[in-house]
Amino acid sequence: MNAQQKMVVRLARHFQLKVAASEQVKAGVYRVTAQNGKTYCIKRLKYEADEVIWIDRLLRKLKRKGYSNICWRDPDEAHHKLIHMKSAGAKEHYVITPWIDGQMPDPRDHEDMRTCARELAAFHQAARGISLAACAAREWLGKWPEQFLLYRQMITKYVKKAERGRLSEGLADFFQEHGKNIVHDADVAIEMLAKSRYADLCQQAKEVKTYCHADCGPKNMVISKTGPILIDFETIRMDLRIYDIYRLIRLANKSNDWDFSIAQTILEGYESVERIAKEEYALLAAWLLFPHKTYRILRKYNTRTDEGKRELEQSLQQEQRARANVTGFLQKLHAYMKRGG
């Protein structure tokens, strides 16, 4: 038994389980087959205790409301609990859930994306109105303008460094060619957000109490024999639902080069359950235009080795090639919105 397997056995013991077999799915996530014949997922939650407790309370309340298409623990089951452990002087939090057998939705498949969108709408409906004690780290209503400005600031910093010759050759060439267009897109998106009804929608959402998964791409849904199941709730927060719709469209289009037909299927699927207001479409357009992926790549840049930096430079080029289709995509979105979906 190797060190990782021994660690999983120790973890499982805290959940009152005896391990028959285990495998690491990815960092901090383990598939465990217990001696009772059942298969579980043990997952590390890399957040402070108040956030972990907030997530748990929200999802448990959601299940008590009758919404069962989420993968989370059942506190009535003997093995299903949260545990808090000390490791290297720090607290770590783990949760155990059933292992969901099924397949990841195909972002190129219209029926799969329609199914995901319908389930996302059902999740939003079920979560609406749940009351929870405040958790500042999970309250995002009203934060988008500041977020956009901070992201733009980092992008602009790299553009200015390129102008001064203070970047590697590959990165300098990239920003000399594309920097002004990237900043322009960021500025237009910020202006779109400023002119929108964002503040009003946030106030309404605060009163109604709305929640979003915040990372609901195809990889965080499983199509099982019983239907679609949402997984991986570490990012869940109080926020506008349109952010989830943006994430589903954006992450589906990682494989589709901004194919609007997939986006249209997602929108139609969602709206077959619940309508999207025109005011929300304006926010969707702002998120789609903003060079968020460019920011996310740059955020990692200074922490990487030379080889890692070269890989990120290639990622920037790939993202920029994909963004060449954004203008046409947004024109089609605007036309779709004008005709009422």
Side-chain angles (χ1 to χ4, degrees), residues 80-145:
H80 288 205
K81 59 182 179 179
L82 289 170
I83 63 170
H84 311 275
M85 299 173 58
K86 281 191 174 181
S87 176
K91 283 188 177 180
E92 291 185 340
H93 312 282
Y94 290 86
V95 67
I96 190 169
T97 66
W99 183 268
I100 306 297
D101 287 318
Q103 62 184 30
M104 188 182 77
D106 182 351
R108 297 181 178 88
D109 185 279
H110 285 263
E111 191 55 42
D112 279 4
M113 291 300 96
R114 184 177 291 107
T115 297
C116 289
R118 288 177 58 85
E119 198 55 50
L120 180 61
F123 163 74
H124 288 155
Q125 283 185 333
R128 190 177 299 131
I130 292 177
S131 294
L132 286 172
C135 179
R138 296 287 158 168
E139 294 180 8
W140 275 70
L141 292 170
K143 293 185 177 181
W144 292 3

Side-chain angles (χ1 to χ4, degrees), residues 166-179:
R166 294 172 55 191
L167 293 176
S168 66
E169 183 178 352
L171 204 57
D173 289 345
F174 173 82
F175 279 110
Q176 286 167 5
E177 181 178 358
H178 302 293

Side-chain angles (χ1 to χ4, degrees), residues 82-286:
L82 289 170
I83 63 170
H84 311 275
M85 299 173 58
K86 281 191 174 181
S87 176
K91 283 188 177 180
E92 291 185 340
H93 312 282
Y94 290 86
V95 67
I96 190 169
T97 66
W99 183 268
I100 306 297
D101 287 318
Q103 62 184 30
M104 188 182 77
D106 182 351
R108 297 181 178 88
D109 185 279
H110 285 263
E111 191 55 42
D112 279 4
M113 291 300 96
R114 184 177 291 107
T115 297
C116 289
R118 288 177 58 85
E119 198 55 50
L120 180 61
F123 163 74
H124 288 155
Q125 283 185 333
R128 190 177 299 131
I130 292 177
S131 294
L132 286 172
C135 179
R138 296 287 158 168
E139 294 180 8
W140 275 70
L141 292 170
K143 293 185 177 181
W144 292 3
E146 179 183 3
Q147 187 180 8
F148 275 34
L149 288 171
L150 285 173
Y151 291 177
R152 181 200 182 277
Q153 185 179 20
M154 173 177 278
I155 293 168
T156 303
K157 180 177 71 174
Y158 276 90
V159 173
K160 289 181 177 178
K161 283 185 176 181
E163 291 172 350
R164 297 168 186 164
R166 294 172 55 191
L167 293 176
S168 66
E169 183 178 352
L171 204 57
D173 289 345
F174 173 82
F175 279 110
Q176 286 167 5
E177 181 178 358
H178 302 293
K180 289 183 179 179
N181 289 334
I182 293 171
V183 173
H184 176 266
D185 285 351
D187 287 340
V188 173
I190 289 168
E191 185 178 1
M192 291 166 67
L193 185 58
K195 290 180 177 179
S196 73
R197 289 192 56 214
Y198 174 67
D200 294 336
L201 291 171
C202 285
Q203 183 58 39
Q204 293 171 16
K206 187 175 183 179
E207 293 168 1
V208 174
K209 297 181 178 63
T210 65
Y211 300 89
C212 75
H213 182 288
D215 193 20
C216 59
K219 288 184 178 180
N220 282 335
M221 290 194 188
V222 177
I223 298 179
S224 70
K225 290 181 180 179
T226 59
I229 305 291
L230 277 73
I231 64 173
D232 289 352
F233 289 95
E234 293 94 319
T235 54
I236 197 168
R237 67 199 196 195
M238 181 174 279
D239 204 349
L240 299 182
R241 64 177 182 166
I242 199 66
Y243 181 75
D244 269 347
I245 299 170
Y246 153 73
R247 287 289 288 174
L248 183 54
I249 291 173
R250 180 68 181 91
L251 292 173
N253 268 292
K254 284 174 66 174
S255 306
N256 295 306
D257 292 330
W258 295 89
D259 177 3
F260 185 76
S261 70
I262 290 290
Q264 182 170 333
T265 294
I266 290 170
L267 294 170
E268 289 173 349
Y270 191 97
E271 293 201 288
S272 69
V273 177
E274 191 166 63
R275 296 293 290 177
I276 301 169
K278 287 188 176 181
E279 294 85 357
E280 294 176 284
Y281 273 106
L283 301 179
L284 174 60

Side-chain angles (χ1 to χ4, degrees), residues 310-325:
R310 285 191 293 272
E311 291 174 355
L312 290 179
E313 288 165 10
Q314 292 174 2
S315 296
L316 284 170
Q317 294 285 1
Q318 292 170 358
E319 170 63 10
Q320 196 59 29
R321 284 194 293 272
R323 285 187 61 82
N325 299 318

